[in-house]
Amino acid sequence: MNYCIKHSQFKLTFAVISTLLFTGTAYAAKPPAPELSNAQFQQCLNGLKNSSTFRGVSSQTFERYRPSQPDPSVIQSLNYQPEFQKDVWDYLSALVDKERVDDGIQAKHQWSDTLRRIEARYGVKPEHVLGVWGVESNFGQTLGKKPLFDSLATLSCFDRRQSYFQGEYANALKIVQNGDIAASDMTGSWAGAFGQTQFMPSTFLELAVDFDGDGRRDLVNSVPDALASTANFLSKRGYRSGEPWGYEVSKPANFWATSNRRDKKPMSYWRNQGFTLANGRPLPYDLDRAALIMPAGNDGPAFLVGKNFDTFYSYNASENYALAIAHLSDLITREDSNRTDFITSWPTDDPGISRQQAKEIQQALLNAGYDIGEVDGIIGDNTRKAIMQYQSSRGVFPADGRAGQKFYRLITNTNAPINNTQPVPYQQSPYQPHTQPTPTANDSMAQLINNRASYRRITNADGSIQLIRVDDGS
Ligand code: CA
């Protein structure tokens, strides 16, 4: 999911924000869908139609796609606060799992000619394009189903940040008016990101390209258009051809630092400090300057990241998000889906689970009589509540609702056909709460988080949760 153009709108991944903000287990309840007056809505649309923001939209276009009523669910999403925290290892294990790496390797071979031509034009490594594609839309498999005009029109007329959404509404209409994308294909996240690149309409108008040569920039149906537009995005944000994004590294003993993506230093500095690659080999010479990031603090995996990592970050202002793209692209390069972990372990005795394991947990909960809705591999609020209840019923402490490896083993064992009356191993050993990463003073994320009121939550098509900053560019 990408952010914006001229203005400084950012999106923050829920994992990051929630890890830093929500230290409790439960946070807040989902607000009810508001009652929205259709009379007020239609009056608002009348005003918008004649406003300067919609100057480039013809009256005919405006009326043709004018919603007959508002969609209260998007206002509900706008004001929704997630109830549960998510650690970086949970976030990454769901985004970069065997399934997604296998899909990425397959896509690399399927689109190799296109990717080669894209690299020739934009200078972006194919696997970096694939990393974005995989994280954004699961390689085009999940694009979001909310009708964009209904969502954006509602957001333009109710609640907060109306002027931002008015601009996106006008831009969405222009895309259809230009003939780039069919109106019936204009569906996406509740906040208006759409297509295989999950661009907001403003980003589409700035950066989308026609790469298959049919004269239309169709980021919904054309994979070449979507991949080239992604490469164009990265290129315009400062991508450096031939450079890696960075590497997982090993810190010298007793080295202490704060994670700071902006504090780039020459690679010679890190070499002199005694840094090596995580596998012990010397740092390569293919990167000019790099900064040290440690998503879970000094005890977890550490990375030296260069300018290309920043271009991933600019797609969606979250370091964990950028790391997911980076890591996925490395595994696709290596064509190895069997080991999706980093070399250094996360500082937890209860690592995260894959989407496949999430599905198995959900099925086991259903089998045990918990109503968690659909088995979709997404650990949402309903699943987490069911996990809490299950944990409580089994005497697991704390009953935190988290789906990690321990819970996976617990519930898949106990639901095995053979009835066991033995205490399960999970209950025999005291549960160790995992370490919480803490924000650092130098972390740009911490600064962004201080202004939490300007962020809104987005549930992506693939179920990942993000917060979008929706200010007016001031
Ligand atoms: Ca095209």
Side-chain angles (χ1 to χ4, degrees):
M1 167 104 27
N2 124 16
Y3 76 112
C4 77
I5 341 189
K6 308 157 187 132
H7 308 319
S8 56
Q9 292 121 11
F10 297 97
K11 293 181 184 176
L12 288 186
T13 300
F14 166 60
V16 176
I17 289 267
S18 61
T19 297
L20 300 177
L21 275 183
F22 309 133
T23 50
T25 307
Y27 184 67
K30 193 168 189 172
E35 299 233 350
L36 304 179
S37 152
N38 196 27
Q40 187 190 335
F41 182 53
Q42 297 304 333
Q43 194 179 11
C44 166
L45 294 179
N46 289 341
L48 289 183
K49 184 180 170 184
N50 299 313
S51 71
S52 59
T53 306
F54 287 74
R55 196 167 285 147
V57 177
S58 75
S59 172
Q60 193 190 15
T61 300
F62 190 94
E63 290 301 334
R64 190 165 173 196
Y65 305 112
R66 179 176 179 145
S68 57
Q69 53 192 5
D71 177 0
S73 73
V74 299
I75 302 299
Q76 192 180 20
S77 297
L78 183 73
N79 291 319
Y80 176 68
Q81 294 289 347
E83 292 180 56
F84 296 98
Q85 61 185 7
K86 202 170 183 183
D87 291 308
V88 55
W89 43 86
D90 285 338
Y91 174 78
L92 284 169
S93 62
L95 266 180
V96 186
D97 59 5
K98 177 173 168 48
E99 201 180 327
R100 204 176 310 254
V101 177
D102 283 335
D103 288 349
I105 295 166
Q106 200 258 330
K108 179 164 103 170
H109 293 293
Q110 184 179 351
W111 297 101
S112 59
D113 285 349
T114 303
L115 287 162
R116 258 197 299 274
R117 286 189 292 118
I118 286 170
E119 184 175 23
R121 186 176 307 178
Y122 300 99
V124 180
K125 177 176 159 147
E127 286 86 353
H128 289 167
V129 174
L130 290 166
V132 175
W133 192 28
V135 169
E136 281 300 320
S137 67
N138 200 13
F139 306 102
Q141 293 173 61
T142 44
L143 306 184
K145 295 187 179 123
K146 281 246 172 230
L148 231 58
F149 299 131
D150 293 2
S151 304
L152 290 171
T154 303
L155 292 163
S156 294
C157 291
F158 296 98
D159 220 274
R160 286 165 274 195
R161 305 300 173 185
Q162 292 179 22
S163 70
Y164 166 72
F165 286 114
Q166 286 164 11
E168 294 296 349
Y169 181 26
N171 288 335
L173 287 167
K174 285 176 197 165
I175 291 166
V176 171
Q177 185 173 276
N178 293 345
D180 281 314
I181 295 181
S184 57
D185 284 338
M186 292 295 274
T187 63
S189 77
W190 68 265
F194 71 101
Q196 305 202 24
T197 56
Q198 293 287 292
F199 280 177
M200 289 298 287
S202 54
T203 310
F204 179 101
L205 291 178
E206 183 198 5
L207 294 166
V209 296
D210 169 31
F211 201 71
D212 61 13
D214 70 350
R216 297 165 56 231
R217 302 179 289 173
D218 188 348
L219 303 192
V220 176
N221 299 301
S222 167
V223 170
D225 287 4
L227 298 182
S229 298
T230 299
N232 188 41
F233 180 103
L234 297 175
S235 168
K236 291 288 194 306
R237 297 293 182 257
Y239 187 93
R240 292 186 190 168
S241 299
E243 271 195 11
W245 61 266
Y247 338 88
E248 188 189 348
V249 294
S250 175
K251 300 196 301 292
N254 302 323
F255 185 91
W256 186 91
T258 51
S259 185
N260 187 351
R261 184 178 54 86
R262 300 216 162 119
D263 186 17
K264 304 274 197 302
K265 292 184 164 77
M267 288 303 286
S268 56
Y269 169 85
W270 302 110
R271 233 172 251 119
N272 292 339
Q273 291 287 329
F275 277 74
T276 65
L277 292 180
N279 61 16
R281 295 202 189 121
L283 293 177
Y285 285 84
D286 51 5
L287 196 53
D288 181 29
R289 298 169 67 81
L292 178 66
I293 64 163
M294 295 169 290
N298 270 272
D299 292 335
F303 307 90
L304 284 173
V305 300
K307 176 67 186 169
N308 289 347
F309 186 87
D310 294 343
T311 67
F312 302 160
Y313 178 92
S314 71
Y315 215 97
N316 178 351
S318 151
E319 289 178 7
N320 291 349
Y321 170 90
L323 189 59
I325 292 173
H327 190 42
L328 179 61
S329 69
D330 275 0
L331 294 170
I332 295 172
T333 302
R334 222 176 291 154
E335 303 208 9
D336 178 7
S337 65
N338 290 317
R339 207 195 122 100
T340 56
D341 294 336
F342 293 110
I343 292 174
T344 304
S345 303
W346 294 110
T348 174
D349 64 347
D350 189 9
I353 56 169
S354 68
R355 284 172 296 165
Q356 180 55 38
Q357 289 172 319
K359 285 179 189 168
E360 290 173 40
I361 285 175
Q362 290 177 317
Q363 189 59 55
L365 286 166
L366 277 177
N367 295 348
Y370 294 89
D371 177 19
I372 54 108
E374 200 187 339
V375 173
D376 55 7
I378 298 160
I379 304 293
D381 287 348
N382 286 341
T383 305
R384 294 202 65 155
K385 280 176 189 159
I387 292 171
M388 284 173 90
Q389 289 166 11
Y390 190 90
Q391 287 170 321
S392 296
S393 75
R394 304 284 301 190
V396 174
F397 180 83
D400 58 1
R402 177 172 171 263
Q405 289 294 341
K406 285 185 180 179
F407 185 76
Y408 173 73
R409 287 200 298 272
L410 170 69
I411 195 162
T412 51
N413 285 342
T414 50
N415 283 288
I418 298 163
N419 185 31
N420 81 59
T421 51
Q422 302 291 319
V424 292
Y426 189 17
Q427 291 172 291
Q428 289 174 327
S429 61
Y431 182 85
Q432 297 294 317
H434 40 263
T435 311
Q436 292 296 336
T438 47
T440 64
N442 289 336
D443 193 349
S444 60
M445 202 56 62
Q447 290 154 18
L448 292 171
I449 284 160
N450 287 336
N451 191 12
R452 181 173 136 226
S454 356
Y455 297 95
R456 299 291 170 260
R457 178 183 185 272
I458 296 174
T459 302
N460 288 322
D462 67 355
S464 60
I465 299 164
Q466 298 174 307
L467 295 185
I468 177 175
R469 180 170 165 189
V470 281
D471 62 16
D472 299 319
S474 54

